Amino acid sequence: MVTKSRFEGFTDGILVIIFTIMILEFKVPNSSNITAILKQFPYFISYSIGWLFLGEAWYNHLYIASKIHRVTHKLFVINALWLFTTSFLPLATAWIGQDLSARGPEIFYGLVFLVWTAAFLLLVFTAILDNQKLGRLQEAEDLRQMRIVRYLTNPFAIISQGLAWLLILIFSPQFQLVIMVWQILFIAGRTNVDIDRQRSLNR
């Protein structure tokens, strides 16, 4: 049986590698002129958004882990699936950073986010069901009340954003990143009120 500490350590290690891959996509300019670095400004934009996205995803994962009391085989496999979808972020970030307005990279970025979202929700619901089986109803409810979970399970929010996302990809692909920033700052970034207290108690 996988212990909770090894479960968290495995996840943390993979996410650290993903962070590292993203920064390595920055290329050292061939010129010593300061303006040479400006050629990588589009990637700097996509990298910054990817960094925020991954950072908030990690923080939310820490909250989920704080509510887990037993790592089942199913939970471990689904967590690995979530990490698998997350591992595509450096590729999507690098490709979109070549041209922020190109439709192909933007569509790929959107697909990565869509698959990642599905894996994240699957991870949360698995943790909720595991808690219910153990009789830990408060932990299950805490996970349901995560702001990002409530948003992603709100039909009106998902349908309206999906339509907006589709129109943006058709007519102005570069504005997809604006939606990403909005979701990161105002949805994923607003966590449960007990998250910091819970992490402190677990130390």
Side-chain angles (χ1 to χ4, degrees):
M1 180 177 176
V2 178
T3 63
K4 182 177 174 180
S5 60
R6 296 195 69 179
F7 172 80
E8 291 184 284
F10 173 75
T11 301
D12 293 349
I14 297 298
L15 293 178
V16 167
I17 292 173
I18 295 174
F19 268 116
T20 304
I21 293 173
M22 287 174 60
I23 189 62
L24 291 177
E25 285 297 325
F26 276 109
K27 307 302 180 184
V28 178
N30 295 323
S31 170
S32 58
N33 194 315
I34 187 63
T35 59
I37 197 68
L38 296 179
K39 294 180 181 179
Q40 298 189 67
F41 184 72
Y43 181 70
F44 173 77
I45 296 297
S46 63
Y47 167 78
S48 299
I49 295 173
W51 177 274
L52 286 173
F53 170 67
L54 189 56
E56 290 298 344
W58 194 351
Y59 199 66
N60 277 284
H61 188 279
L62 290 174
Y63 183 76
I64 296 171
S66 74
K67 300 296 181 178
I68 294 173
H69 294 272
R70 185 179 67 183
V71 180
T72 62
H73 179 261
K74 182 179 180 181
L75 182 67
F76 183 84
V77 170
I78 292 176
N79 187 69
L81 174 64
W82 176 75
L83 288 171
F84 174 74
T85 62
T86 308
S87 69
F88 283 92
L89 184 60
L91 173 60
T93 299
W95 195 16
I96 206 173
Q98 294 180 357
D99 186 350
L100 298 178
S101 61
R103 184 169 285 106
E106 292 281 358
I107 291 175
F108 180 73
Y109 195 95
L111 289 174
V112 169
F113 180 70
L114 180 64
V115 174
W116 178 92
T117 300
F120 177 80
L121 284 176
L122 187 59
L123 176 64
V124 174
F125 289 139
T126 300
I128 290 173
L129 290 175
D130 285 349
N131 276 323
Q132 289 177 336
K133 290 177 181 178
L134 292 173
R136 298 184 178 274
L137 302 183
Q138 184 57 56
E139 285 86 346
E141 183 61 23
D142 289 342
L143 291 173
R144 285 196 192 91
Q145 292 304 315
M146 290 177 67
R147 185 177 179 86
I148 187 172
V149 173
R150 287 188 287 119
Y151 177 80
L152 293 175
T153 54
N154 183 319
F156 175 76
I158 294 302
I159 293 174
S160 59
Q161 180 179 294
L163 291 174
W165 211 307
L166 182 62
L167 292 174
I168 285 174
L169 287 176
I170 293 174
F171 297 105
S172 300
Q174 65 273 21
F175 287 107
Q176 175 181 219
L177 296 180
V178 176
I179 293 182
M180 288 295 299
V181 172
W182 180 82
Q183 284 195 328
I184 293 168
L185 296 179
F186 297 103
I187 305 299
R190 298 180 63 182
T191 52
N192 289 28
V193 295
D194 68 326
I195 185 168
D196 291 318
R197 177 174 59 83
Q198 184 69 34
R199 292 300 298 174
S200 298
L201 291 174
N202 287 343
R203 289 189 181 129

PDB file of all heavy atoms in Angstrom, residues 17 24 82 135 155 157 179 184 195 203:
ATOM      1  N   ILE A  17       9.788  18.634 -11.812  1.00  0.00           N
ATOM      2  CA  ILE A  17      10.402  18.365 -13.121  1.00  0.00           C
ATOM      3  C   ILE A  17       9.706  19.170 -14.214  1.00  0.00           C
ATOM      4  O   ILE A  17      10.350  19.739 -15.097  1.00  0.00           O
ATOM      5  CB  ILE A  17      10.344  16.862 -13.431  1.00  0.00           C
ATOM      6  CG1 ILE A  17      11.261  16.090 -12.478  1.00  0.00           C
ATOM      7  CG2 ILE A  17      10.755  16.595 -14.882  1.00  0.00           C
ATOM      8  CD1 ILE A  17      11.140  14.585 -12.589  1.00  0.00           C
ATOM      9  N   LEU A  24      13.608  25.697 -18.912  1.00  0.00           N
ATOM     10  CA  LEU A  24      14.683  25.336 -19.837  1.00  0.00           C
ATOM     11  C   LEU A  24      14.342  25.664 -21.284  1.00  0.00           C
ATOM     12  O   LEU A  24      15.219  25.630 -22.150  1.00  0.00           O
ATOM     13  CB  LEU A  24      15.020  23.841 -19.704  1.00  0.00           C
ATOM     14  CG  LEU A  24      15.696  23.424 -18.389  1.00  0.00           C
ATOM     15  CD1 LEU A  24      15.912  21.912 -18.364  1.00  0.00           C
ATOM     16  CD2 LEU A  24      17.017  24.149 -18.212  1.00  0.00           C
ATOM     17  N   TRP A  82      -3.608  12.338 -13.875  1.00  0.00           N
ATOM     18  CA  TRP A  82      -3.602  13.795 -13.762  1.00  0.00           C
ATOM     19  C   TRP A  82      -2.204  14.353 -14.021  1.00  0.00           C
ATOM     20  O   TRP A  82      -2.038  15.351 -14.732  1.00  0.00           O
ATOM     21  CB  TRP A  82      -4.090  14.198 -12.367  1.00  0.00           C
ATOM     22  CG  TRP A  82      -4.028  15.666 -12.112  1.00  0.00           C
ATOM     23  CD1 TRP A  82      -4.869  16.625 -12.608  1.00  0.00           C
ATOM     24  CD2 TRP A  82      -3.062  16.359 -11.316  1.00  0.00           C
ATOM     25  NE1 TRP A  82      -4.493  17.869 -12.165  1.00  0.00           N
ATOM     26  CE2 TRP A  82      -3.377  17.734 -11.367  1.00  0.00           C
ATOM     27  CE3 TRP A  82      -1.968  15.955 -10.563  1.00  0.00           C
ATOM     28  CZ2 TRP A  82      -2.635  18.712 -10.707  1.00  0.00           C
ATOM     29  CZ3 TRP A  82      -1.224  16.923  -9.890  1.00  0.00           C
ATOM     30  CH2 TRP A  82      -1.560  18.272  -9.963  1.00  0.00           C
ATOM     31  N   GLY A 135     -16.363   6.936   5.847  1.00  0.00           N
ATOM     32  CA  GLY A 135     -17.207   7.648   6.795  1.00  0.00           C
ATOM     33  C   GLY A 135     -16.714   9.043   7.125  1.00  0.00           C
ATOM     34  O   GLY A 135     -17.194   9.662   8.078  1.00  0.00           O
ATOM     35  N   PRO A 155     -23.115  23.850 -14.515  1.00  0.00           N
ATOM     36  CA  PRO A 155     -23.452  23.742 -15.950  1.00  0.00           C
ATOM     37  C   PRO A 155     -23.476  25.091 -16.661  1.00  0.00           C
ATOM     38  O   PRO A 155     -22.985  25.209 -17.791  1.00  0.00           O
ATOM     39  CB  PRO A 155     -24.842  23.088 -15.934  1.00  0.00           C
ATOM     40  CG  PRO A 155     -24.903  22.366 -14.639  1.00  0.00           C
ATOM     41  CD  PRO A 155     -24.138  23.221 -13.663  1.00  0.00           C
ATOM     42  N   ALA A 157     -21.878  27.906 -15.946  1.00  0.00           N
ATOM     43  CA  ALA A 157     -20.522  28.442 -16.094  1.00  0.00           C
ATOM     44  C   ALA A 157     -19.763  27.715 -17.187  1.00  0.00           C
ATOM     45  O   ALA A 157     -19.082  28.335 -18.014  1.00  0.00           O
ATOM     46  CB  ALA A 157     -19.767  28.349 -14.765  1.00  0.00           C
ATOM     47  N   ILE A 179      -8.530  34.346 -20.832  1.00  0.00           N
ATOM     48  CA  ILE A 179      -9.426  33.482 -20.079  1.00  0.00           C
ATOM     49  C   ILE A 179      -8.640  32.657 -19.072  1.00  0.00           C
ATOM     50  O   ILE A 179      -9.061  32.470 -17.922  1.00  0.00           O
ATOM     51  CB  ILE A 179     -10.212  32.550 -21.029  1.00  0.00           C
ATOM     52  CG1 ILE A 179     -11.176  33.359 -21.905  1.00  0.00           C
ATOM     53  CG2 ILE A 179     -10.996  31.511 -20.221  1.00  0.00           C
ATOM     54  CD1 ILE A 179     -12.009  32.508 -22.833  1.00  0.00           C
ATOM     55  N   ILE A 184      -7.224  31.365 -13.479  1.00  0.00           N
ATOM     56  CA  ILE A 184      -6.169  31.109 -12.507  1.00  0.00           C
ATOM     57  C   ILE A 184      -6.310  32.032 -11.299  1.00  0.00           C
ATOM     58  O   ILE A 184      -6.230  31.591 -10.148  1.00  0.00           O
ATOM     59  CB  ILE A 184      -4.781  31.290 -13.148  1.00  0.00           C
ATOM     60  CG1 ILE A 184      -4.535  30.201 -14.203  1.00  0.00           C
ATOM     61  CG2 ILE A 184      -3.679  31.247 -12.093  1.00  0.00           C
ATOM     62  CD1 ILE A 184      -3.333  30.471 -15.080  1.00  0.00           C
ATOM     63  N   ILE A 195      -7.597  26.040   4.041  1.00  0.00           N
ATOM     64  CA  ILE A 195      -6.478  25.356   3.407  1.00  0.00           C
ATOM     65  C   ILE A 195      -5.156  25.586   4.137  1.00  0.00           C
ATOM     66  O   ILE A 195      -4.410  24.651   4.404  1.00  0.00           O
ATOM     67  CB  ILE A 195      -6.355  25.751   1.910  1.00  0.00           C
ATOM     68  CG1 ILE A 195      -5.244  24.927   1.244  1.00  0.00           C
ATOM     69  CG2 ILE A 195      -6.100  27.236   1.735  1.00  0.00           C
ATOM     70  CD1 ILE A 195      -5.266  25.050  -0.263  1.00  0.00           C
ATOM     71  N   ARG A 203       1.523  19.328   9.625  1.00  0.00           N
ATOM     72  CA  ARG A 203       2.982  19.325   9.753  1.00  0.00           C
ATOM     73  C   ARG A 203       3.400  18.666  11.049  1.00  0.00           C
ATOM     74  O   ARG A 203       2.730  18.767  12.038  1.00  0.00           O
ATOM     75  CB  ARG A 203       3.513  20.753   9.683  1.00  0.00           C
ATOM     76  CG  ARG A 203       3.404  21.351   8.274  1.00  0.00           C
ATOM     77  CD  ARG A 203       4.147  22.668   8.202  1.00  0.00           C
ATOM     78  NE  ARG A 203       3.996  23.220   6.868  1.00  0.00           N
ATOM     79  CZ  ARG A 203       3.607  24.458   6.615  1.00  0.00           C
ATOM     80  NH1 ARG A 203       3.336  25.284   7.598  1.00  0.00           N
ATOM     81  NH2 ARG A 203       3.518  24.895   5.392  1.00  0.00           N
TER      82      ARG A 203
END
